[in-house]
């Protein structure tokens, strides 16, 4: 397979390269840029010296059209203009931005504050939450790869909502992310001295992943609901932990919740249901494509706490993108992704 | 004033010394230990060389009885045995452990897994949440200094619950703490390589601060409720951020919530109501006795998000203890505590 | 005393405010800016709400001239143009930039790559290494406050070089600093995700503190020498540790080195000579004006290792600046600076 | 190949598993323990659930003898007693401890403070600095895998010392390591709250890697010298950076130093000579088996600064061990180790 990455200099792009380097079916990687044509990629990222001593190429649709897969890791608002000419031209397109996730352009424009992609393209895009949408992913020409927060939230909540074990009218989701989610552009909110040794909340009730989560709950669990969703910044580079709260439906037990999660993911290699809370932590999935999850019922309040962890750059971005590529090319989902988490 | 600290080698003790060193009314500090009599304190804590080159003294009730104030910063289960002989003997007693906080010994024994203090002593102890209990603090012979999490949670929720602006039947509290809350004893859960770059949840629904929060809501807001409360470990040393969620009562607006908090704390120097979420972060209170708080209503779900930050070692422990001492001795509450947060 | 700070929004400025807030002789602080006139300072720095709710003032020489002390915490290259009109006009001037430290304008222009300040002003400035230059500091109208690295290096090396206990022809200095030394402007080299969990060397043999250190060794120890000096970035916010290496002069012992340091600093409250290496660490001085130092001889090679730690923002900047102000106004050097290091 | 790991629960063991999991020639891994027989390995290390759900086995020499390779990752002082019965019994033995590195038992006992291994075994062990000793590694029955610091120091210094480009009589080595080098046993010096945001020096002139470095300089460069070597703790988990200083030999230039390093490692895939200091940092090699190095001459002092970075757990331990295994089994050195560094 010949693979191209547009927007390789972002962290999503770096992680794609990290995994594609060891992907047995990938024979060639081209890197495309809108602004730095000819620059040696490894001169920008010293860790890739000897591994990616490749010049960045100008974005060229003829060159892109000859590839088998094109990943776009460009910012939201850019991809929606960049990709349309390529659709249906040959390569499978896997977009890591938020531009093709929301089916409703009005919602996109409201939450992202940007112009939506063309409606017909939005409509044909397939939401790439692999464990829940592999059949559609397989044949999609354009995959909208899920956001980092939605991946952790949806994988842990969808089974319980769909099985009506928890009350989906009262979903409270308190999410926490490492700083790499903010990308590689320096800013005051990523400035070491002010982020280090600091924990903060941001975008209260305004995160653009809210409509993405609600849409997916509707799509995969058949339930329309408005969620409460807040996001926090953790002074670490990688990792997301999502803590969700919901009332139990009458008569439901913790055992049923656990069994539901276990049954749902029995044959899914990247989801692990943990039964000891001490085994759940972001470092247990660091660097890997795993999503670990845990559920606990508080008998005093009859509410469930549902927790999930992922590496935001892997299962929350590049890893899931490659997992989708594997599905499309009839490879085992774990191809190129079967690595041990770093832990420390 | 002559002051004694029992259990000075813990982090609570170190912070007491940090503030008492600059307290204008404190003329002398004695440090007591059960195990290291005669050891020079600064030989254990190099940062105190030239500032606390004092030998640790054996715990001696005659010596303790001659002091004006005794702070106990010993572990829960220890203080309950240590303090009773001193009660009513002269010094004001301010206990930083959890031993005298819960009025119900059965509840203590259930949540702490230890034997409760004698009932008559529990009953005369005063819960030292300064902003809400200064009148009782003033005359108390034994103060149960609040826990770190309860301080952040209660200061931000009590006004809203008491004024019936939010539905106290559905309080979800998602709290996050720096690692120093675990104290100075090394363990696998405080081992740098496994805590650093890691975010985790612990004690799901089982934290001993749950009954403390519920008791105080009953005591100060007159409402009996069962809360959902979970705690997380943040890879940083200091700081707590509590994110609470509650449905609004019918017809209530965000403006009313903000106004309620502002009115409640108008004359309280250590509470700051923040109206821009970007101004709320644990580093804004680092090293100081401030509690900053923020409230936001999500009009889509008609729920409030109530956030508070403190330095767990200061307002959540030693700082509030000294604030209580100030109240007892008719000093301005800010005496010795009026310092600028470190921020970075 | 009425005090002004020009460049208050940098980290040096923030630390000046932190200490001046508790300085008993300071009755008023004015903050000046070249670009943000009228902006409420606390709206930029949330940790200062209620403590510094002051509008930033336009730089106005008439207003500045009425103050007792003016601190300039502006970047190198800016102060040299800003300060000259104020010299001799009334206020004592204490400059935290590098603009007035080097007596040789050619050297300044070579190492800083900027135009030097006027020669007559450079000549009358006094290098504010308090422990070594208090007599001159006392009467100076313009103080060039030392750089962060030079403070740690010089305090630990000067006594030994001056007493000819070590061979000053072969000084190797390997210095390490927290990230706050890079200031508050975001850049790739202060971007959390790329600094966190990373240790690097920078500016090999090219740091502008090299000529400052050599000049001070000449000035205070009477020795002209060329040093080897390298700097590293530590993934933490505050702190500098300098490790210096030098051959012993013939017949000299470790005991003589220790005694020399102890005798030199016997009456200097902010220098502590440590004899157990385990008591030496940047967190022992965090947030404080201390410089702790340690010396060890390797009998296998007959070389000394001389180590010093400071908080780069305090003894390495704002703290020493206030220490100099205290000297100028005949106050005890510890006035407003006598606080316990944070340690954790 | 059938592989065994004794001491798998340490960080060296965890990293061996991480790489062996993806090693194409390894078909089976057995884990051995002296104390936790029967415990499921993944129950101790949650990140390995589904990947290493294997029971720990009792140390059994018959079982060990049937393996192709046995890695020992047990503490120094333990391996020297554990391994002798296995020598010559079948499996290649690769020891990650310090027990078989020093050829002189007296030196071992002096620096380690423990009883040395039997002399005849020390003598037949081969020092596994792969790039310098592959011929001997190939046929060794017992490999003493190098220490973490020596690997970084030796790879960068040996070419220059051997070629007599620098003066080996005056080698000053200032090394810095992440905390994982201290292993997985909690202690005060690895306690998060006291290590985080702290930089310190330890074991001044007393580190047990000193004789190992000197021995290897003698062995591979033919030079007997006494070095000055100090070690520091960096508040991060992984990574070593070594900064070495040496006078140039007369007439030598920076270009010659660079050329020497480049020529030495031209055909060695894991060593990268960096010519821009900004490309040198521990995160450029994080998680990988690379050693990146950089050399710079200061024309003012005619001294060279020689810098090297490795991941202490990979090239400094498990990665180099597997590299040695590859050499022994005639596999390309990169087999199972050809992964992209994490960078962030």
């Amino acid at each position: 397979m010949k693979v191209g990455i547009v927007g390789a200099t972002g962290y999503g792009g770096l992680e794609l390269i990290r995994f594609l380097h060891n992907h047995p079916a990938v024979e060639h990687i081209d890197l495309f840029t809108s602004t730095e044509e000819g620059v040696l990629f490894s001169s920008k990222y010293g860790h890739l010296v000897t591994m990616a001593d490749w010049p960045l190429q100008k974005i060229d649709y003829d060159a892109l059209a000859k590839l088998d897969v094109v990943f776009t890791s460009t910012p939201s608002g850019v991809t929606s203009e960049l990709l349309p000419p390529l659709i249906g031209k040959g390569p499978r397109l896997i977009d890591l931005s938020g531009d093709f996730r929301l089916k409703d352009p009005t919602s996109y424009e409201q939450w992202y504050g940007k112009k939506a992609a063309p409606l017909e393209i939005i409509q044909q895009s397939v939401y790439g939450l692999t464990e829940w949408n592999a059949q559609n992913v397989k044949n999609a020409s354009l995959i909208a790869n899920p956001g980092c927060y939605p991946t952790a939230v949806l994988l842990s909540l969808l089974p319980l909502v769909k099985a009506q074990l928890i009350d989906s009218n009262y979903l409270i989701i308190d999410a926490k992310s490492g700083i790499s989610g903010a990308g590689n552009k320096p800013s005051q909110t990523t400035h070491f001295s002010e982020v280090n040794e600091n924990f903060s909340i941001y975008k209260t009730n305004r995160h653009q992943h809210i409509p993405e989560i609600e849409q997916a709950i509707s799509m995969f669990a058949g339930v329309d609901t408005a969620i409460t969703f807040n996001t926090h910044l953790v002074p670490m580079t990688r990792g997301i932990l999502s803590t969700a709260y919901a009332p139990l439906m009458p008569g439901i037990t913790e055992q049923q919740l656990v069994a539901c999660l276990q049954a749902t993911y029995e044959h899914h290699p990247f989801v692990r249901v943990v039964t000891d809370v001490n085994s759940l932590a972001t470092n247990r999935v660091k660097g890997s494509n795993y999503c670990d999850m845990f559920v606990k019922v508080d008998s005093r309040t009859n509410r469930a706490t549902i927790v999930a962890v992922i590496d935001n750059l892997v299962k929350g971005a590049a890893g899931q993108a490659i997992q989708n590529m594997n599905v499309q090319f009839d490879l085992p989902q774990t191809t190129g992704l079967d690595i041990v988490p770093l832990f420390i």
Side-chain angles (χ1 to χ4, degrees), chain A:
Chain A
M1 277 156 62
K2 289 179 172 52
V3 172
I5 303 174
V6 184
T9 56
Y11 292 155
L14 291 183
E15 286 292 275
L16 284 169
I17 292 171
R18 184 164 73 92
F19 285 104
L20 293 172
H21 178 80
N22 291 108
H23 196 289
V26 172
E27 66 179 38
H28 186 77
I29 306 173
D30 284 320
L31 306 180
F32 296 89
T33 177
S34 56
T35 56
E36 303 183 277
E37 186 186 347
V39 171
L40 206 64
F41 194 66
S42 57
S43 73
K44 294 177 63 73
Y45 288 106
H47 70 290
L48 288 166
V49 165
T50 75
M51 312 193 94
D53 296 327
W54 312 322
L56 287 163
Q57 304 177 39
K58 190 177 146 189
I59 295 175
D60 176 306
Y61 285 104
D62 290 339
L64 286 165
K66 291 175 189 152
L67 300 170
D68 297 298
V69 187
V70 172
F71 295 97
T72 44
S73 186
T74 40
S76 290
V78 171
T79 322
S80 60
E81 304 218 342
L82 183 79
L83 268 192
L86 261 186
I87 292 175
K89 286 292 186 298
R92 299 297 187 97
L93 305 175
I94 303 179
D95 177 36
L96 279 70
S97 87
D99 279 1
F100 302 102
R101 294 180 196 149
L102 300 184
K103 295 297 178 188
D104 176 359
T106 311
S107 175
Y108 178 89
E109 295 182 354
Q110 175 193 333
W111 288 91
Y112 283 79
K114 290 172 181 166
K115 191 166 173 302
L119 184 60
E120 69 278 15
I121 294 180
I122 294 175
Q123 283 172 339
Q124 65 179 281
S125 78
V126 167
Y127 189 66
L129 188 69
T130 328
E131 280 75 8
W132 286 79
N133 214 14
Q135 281 310 317
N136 293 318
V137 161
K138 195 169 167 50
N139 301 306
S141 49
L142 170 59
I143 289 178
N145 210 57
C148 51
Y149 286 121
T151 297
V153 170
L154 291 168
L155 288 177
S156 54
L157 289 186
L158 282 176
L160 307 177
V161 172
K162 189 179 180 192
Q164 297 185 296
L165 302 181
I166 57 174
D167 183 350
S168 54
N169 292 313
Y170 208 92
L171 295 174
I172 307 280
I173 303 161
D174 190 280
K176 301 91 178 171
S177 174
I179 312 297
S180 64
N184 73 339
K185 288 249 177 59
S187 73
Q188 215 66 42
T189 55
T190 61
H191 190 56
F192 184 86
S193 299
E194 299 180 22
V195 173
N196 178 42
E197 287 295 289
N198 190 22
F199 186 88
S200 60
I201 187 170
Y202 70 105
K203 290 194 185 177
T204 12
N205 305 318
R206 294 189 298 105
H207 201 289
Q208 69 276 12
H209 286 166
I210 292 174
E212 180 179 339
I213 294 170
E214 291 176 351
Q215 172 183 287
I217 290 177
S218 174
M219 193 186 303
F220 298 118
V223 169
D224 292 323
T225 185
I227 61 170
T228 291
F229 176 71
N230 275 316
T231 50
H232 304 75
L233 282 181
V234 185
M236 63 184 187
T237 300
R238 289 169 181 258
I240 280 178
L241 185 145
S242 156
T243 315
Y245 300 93
L248 287 192
M249 295 300 268
I252 301 302
T253 65
E254 183 174 301
Q255 288 68 22
Q256 287 172 283
L257 302 186
V258 174
C260 171
L261 294 178
Q262 287 174 331
T264 303
Y265 295 117
E266 191 179 359
H267 301 295
H268 291 277
F270 290 121
V271 179
R272 303 187 293 192
V273 181
V274 166
T275 52
D276 174 4
V277 70
N278 297 317
S279 289
L280 194 89
T282 63
N283 69 358
R284 264 67 172 185
V285 300
K286 190 164 70 173
S288 83
N289 201 47
Y290 286 109
C291 175
D292 287 1
M293 57 187 64
F294 169 78
V295 62
K296 192 80 189 171
V297 166
D298 178 13
S299 56
R300 298 170 64 253
T301 59
N302 226 29
R303 293 172 199 145
T305 301
I306 306 120
V307 195
V309 291
I310 59 168
D311 183 320
N312 57 309
L313 297 176
V314 187
K315 185 61 178 167
Q320 188 161 226
I322 293 173
Q323 190 182 356
N324 283 324
M325 179 188 82
N326 288 340
V327 168
Q328 295 194 314
F329 289 82
D330 281 327
L331 300 165
Q333 289 191 18
T334 53
T335 311
L337 295 170
D338 175 29
I339 62 169
V340 175
L342 249 75
F343 179 46
I344 64 162

